[in-house]
């Protein structure tokens, strides 16, 4: 099977896989055998959005996350002030404290407005992953993949 690519040469499907990791293992096999992998692509099809629930999102967790990110921003601002006036170390400490306080306040307000009681991470996943190669390199790639079973971890 071949596919037309408007941005480059014609591609040939080397194999189809049910997971991205399996497709990556096939490309790893080619790379380990010094194949020019810049001619290889992994293409996902049947895309869908998957949202993984990470856990409960409570007011306490929101406050902690807001305070820690605010403290980092405060540290950055404090270091900038310290560079400008190096004799005032208190600026760094007070910037961290103020950053943590304002971060916690903003996080609490956001948590109350959003009213979502769980934390999640979204990702786009595919039902199938095809490994494609430029047509001129297809025979060599097939020979290299046939020599090693790709279902074993490498």
């Amino acid at each position: 099977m071949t596919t037309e690519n408007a941005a480059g040469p014609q591609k040939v499907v080397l194999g189809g896989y049910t997971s991205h990791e399996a497709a990556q293992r096939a490309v790893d096999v080619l790379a380990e055998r010094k194949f020019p992998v810049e001619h290889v692509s992994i293409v996902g099809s049947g895309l869908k959005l998957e949202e993984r629930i990470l856990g409960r999102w409570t007011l306490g967790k929101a406050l902690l996350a807001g305070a820690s990110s605010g403290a980092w921003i405060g540290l950055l601002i404090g270091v900038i002030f310290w560079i400008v006036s190096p004799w005032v170390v208190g600026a760094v400490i007070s910037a961290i404290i103020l950053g943590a306080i304002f971060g916690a306040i903003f996080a609490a307000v956001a948590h109350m407005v959003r009213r979502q009681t769980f934390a999640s991470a979204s990702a786009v996943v595919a039902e199938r992953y095809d490994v494609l190669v430029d047509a001129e390199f297809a025979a060599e790639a097939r020979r290299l993949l046939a020599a090693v079973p790709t279902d074993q971890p490498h």
Side-chain angles (χ1 to χ4, degrees):
M1 172 195 261
T2 61
T3 61
E4 281 297 323
N5 185 352
Q10 188 176 23
K11 299 275 191 180
V12 175
V13 177
L14 289 178
Y17 302 89
T18 57
S19 72
H20 190 254
E21 292 77 20
Q24 285 179 324
R25 280 195 302 271
V27 176
D28 283 340
V29 168
L30 295 173
E32 289 168 0
R33 282 152 184 77
K34 309 295 187 234
F35 182 83
V37 291
E38 59 272 9
H39 297 281
V40 178
S41 302
I42 297 175
V43 177
S45 58
L47 301 179
K48 59 185 175 180
L49 178 68
E50 179 181 322
E51 186 173 12
R52 291 193 55 217
I53 308 305
L54 302 174
R56 293 192 57 213
W57 189 247
T58 63
L59 179 59
K61 287 182 181 180
L63 289 171
L64 185 61
S68 64
S69 61
W72 277 108
I73 293 170
L75 175 64
L76 175 66
I77 293 170
V79 167
I80 291 170
F81 278 117
W82 183 63
I83 290 171
V84 173
S85 26
W87 54 88
V88 184
V89 177
V92 176
I93 296 168
S94 52
I96 293 171
I97 293 169
L98 285 172
I101 291 169
F102 282 116
I105 290 169
F106 287 130
V109 170
H111 179 73
M112 296 297 184
V113 169
R114 193 168 173 215
R115 296 179 190 238
Q116 188 172 354
T117 58
F118 63 91
S120 64
S122 298
V124 175
V125 294
E127 292 176 1
R128 175 184 173 86
Y129 297 90
D130 290 327
V131 176
L132 307 177
V133 66
D134 293 349
E136 63 187 271
F137 295 95
E140 177 67 10
R142 282 194 180 109
R143 184 185 68 74
L144 292 172
L145 285 176
V148 176
T150 57
D151 57 320
Q152 296 176 1
H154 293 278

